[in-house]
Amino acid sequence: MSATTRITVTLPTEQVTELRKLTDNISGYVAEAVARQIRHQLIGEDLRRHQEDHGAFAEEELSEARSKIFGATGSTRQTGVA
């Protein structure tokens, strides 16, 4: 188990109400949401750096990436990745 630090977070009452409906481990739920957001931001930074170094992604590259991420049925789905 990794080390933890106790903090206080203020959330809108409506969010807390919905969180309590979803889980009895709000700390774990919030920790996973924060980890997901950090990964999202780091990937976005990597993609921006790659495009700065190598130019914009070609549509074929984007299509292949979508296919790998979402599977064949999601390959035509438009996303706001980056």
Side-chain angles (χ1 to χ4, degrees):
M1 182 172 185
S2 62
T4 60
T5 301
R6 184 181 194 102
I7 64 168
T8 300
V9 176
T10 303
L11 297 170
T13 301
E14 300 82 24
Q15 287 182 353
V16 175
T17 300
E18 292 304 314
L19 274 171
R20 287 186 173 139
K21 291 178 187 176
L22 296 171
T23 184
D24 59 354
N25 182 2
I26 293 175
S27 291
Y29 191 96
V30 171
E32 179 55 34
V34 169
R36 190 171 40 253
Q37 183 63 29
I38 290 169
R39 285 191 305 271
H40 176 78
Q41 288 182 282
L42 291 174
I43 290 169
E45 290 171 13
D46 285 345
L47 291 172
R48 278 188 289 283
R49 268 195 307 275
H50 180 85
Q51 289 187 93
E52 287 172 5
D53 294 343
H54 304 285
F57 291 105
E59 189 54 44
E60 298 81 31
E61 292 172 308
L62 293 172
S63 180
E64 182 180 345
R66 287 183 188 114
S67 178
K68 287 180 179 180
I69 293 169
F70 300 111
T73 59
S75 62
T76 61
R77 179 177 161 192
Q78 294 295 321
T79 62
V81 176

